[in-house]
Amino acid sequence: MRKPLIAGNWKMYKTPRESLAFLEAFLPMVEGHERDEIVLFPTMSSLGYVLDRIQGTNVRAGAQTMHWMNEGPYTGQTSPTMLASIRCTHVMLGHSERRIYAHETDDMVNWKLKAAFGHDLTPIVCVGETLDKRQTGLTEAVLRWQIACALNGVEREVASSLIIAYEPVWAIGTGSTATPSQVQEAHRIIRREVAERIGQELADSTRIIYGGSVKPENAGTIMSQPDIDGALVGGGSLDPETFSRIIKYPKA
Ligand code: 13P
């Protein structure tokens, strides 16, 4: 029922030229792959080029962040209207690197989520605890809080495209992946909170994907957990061959 989604977050890597070179190699590697949805998140400077190049293929692309307003005096920002105007289909919201380095708050994630729904952009809302919070037994509290804030005032009628990415901050770019049981438990907590906020039916159809040091070697194990509906891949998505091996993870 929940089609798996494998997304590549390119963070601040790749010029437009490098992005197009990636696609030249990558698109033939995943041509005809329909088991999983494939979405790339290039930098804002590459996004338009990538969107043009993937037209008619089985690959989609989105923005790594956006503002919640349609336009205004907000230097450096890109609006949902602008993304929609270049046929962008997805947007990532509240990535921990945005929360840490750009001081994005839970309220902002909530405003952005409502704006995404308002513009038919499929949102991937990122949540996850720091190592300190995990070690002090606060993982559940953090996840529930982040989900509750993100969904505050969101009408269930508009929220059917919601995707959530569980990315424990301590597993991002560190090589230490959360264990399948840790991820399974976190996803269960997230799904229960989504059910409380916007209803069980929507929670059951909401995809919850995992991010944090996903590699070709561990993708199969991660994807075989019943509550893991996909992966959000950072470093492992930068090389076409490596990323295509993740996408073609062995099915358990
Ligand atoms: P890594 O796969 O490099 O750990 O990054 C995960 C991530 O932050 C994806 O959004």
Side-chain angles (χ1 to χ4, degrees):
M1 182 176 70
R2 298 191 297 258
K3 184 169 179 170
L5 174 115
I6 311 289
N9 175 9
W10 286 354
K11 307 191 178 188
M12 201 172 72
Y13 292 96
K14 296 192 191 298
T15 62
R17 189 186 295 273
E18 290 163 345
S19 304
L20 291 174
F22 173 98
L23 289 174
E24 281 324 302
F26 177 70
L27 290 175
M29 291 176 183
V30 297
E31 194 180 346
H33 184 96
E34 295 297 337
R35 179 188 62 179
D36 311 85
E37 257 176 58
I38 305 167
V39 188
L40 293 170
F41 289 90
T43 63
M44 218 54 106
S45 58
S46 290
L47 181 58
Y49 296 96
V50 170
L51 285 165
D52 282 347
R53 181 63 188 84
I54 61 174
Q55 287 304 312
T57 75
N58 56 336
V59 175
R60 301 282 166 272
Q64 297 175 11
T65 184
M66 68 173 188
H67 200 270
W68 56 91
M69 304 279 278
N70 283 339
E71 59 181 13
Y74 304 107
T75 303
Q77 301 281 4
T78 308
S79 80
T81 331
M82 291 163 189
L83 293 180
S85 76
I86 55 169
R87 294 189 288 187
C88 175
T89 51
H90 291 68
V91 65
M92 204 165 28
L93 303 174
H95 190 281
S96 61
E97 286 153 13
R98 301 281 318 160
R99 293 179 190 257
I100 294 166
Y101 303 120
H103 310 291
E104 208 159 288
T105 66
D106 287 309
D107 277 344
M108 292 179 194
V109 175
N110 174 248
W111 302 332
K112 290 174 183 211
L113 180 60
K114 288 173 179 161
F117 288 138
H119 290 85
D120 276 339
L121 291 162
T122 299
I124 300 186
V125 175
C126 304
V127 297
E129 80 287 359
T130 57
L131 185 59
D132 173 55
K133 291 287 189 289
R134 175 163 283 273
Q135 287 174 339
T136 46
L138 291 171
T139 299
E140 174 161 359
V142 168
L143 295 178
R144 293 189 62 185
W145 175 258
Q146 288 178 337
I147 296 291
C149 292
L151 294 178
N152 185 26
V154 169
E155 306 285 340
R156 69 183 65 175
E157 291 72 28
V158 301
S160 61
S161 65
L162 176 67
I163 298 166
I164 292 168
Y166 169 56
E167 296 207 306
V169 178
W170 49 272
I172 294 177
T174 58
S176 66
T177 322
T179 65
S181 67
Q182 283 173 325
V183 181
Q184 175 67 22
E185 170 64 6
H187 285 210
R188 200 186 52 75
I189 292 165
I190 291 168
R191 205 176 296 286
R192 204 179 52 211
E193 189 63 29
V194 173
E196 260 176 51
R197 299 289 148 191
I198 49 176
Q200 189 66 51
E201 199 180 328
L202 216 106
D204 287 339
S205 64
T206 296
R207 285 175 292 180
I208 306 178
I209 67 178
Y210 166 77
S213 300
V214 176
K215 305 279 175 246
E217 295 71 32
N218 59 24
T221 314
I222 290 166
M223 293 300 295
S224 64
Q225 301 302 308
D227 256 312
I228 303 182
D229 305 316
L232 182 50
V233 187
S237 72
L238 293 172
D239 172 69
E241 210 259 322
T242 309
F243 193 40
S244 73
R245 278 170 59 212
I246 292 175
I247 290 165
K248 293 175 185 171
Y249 61 87
K251 207 168 160 61

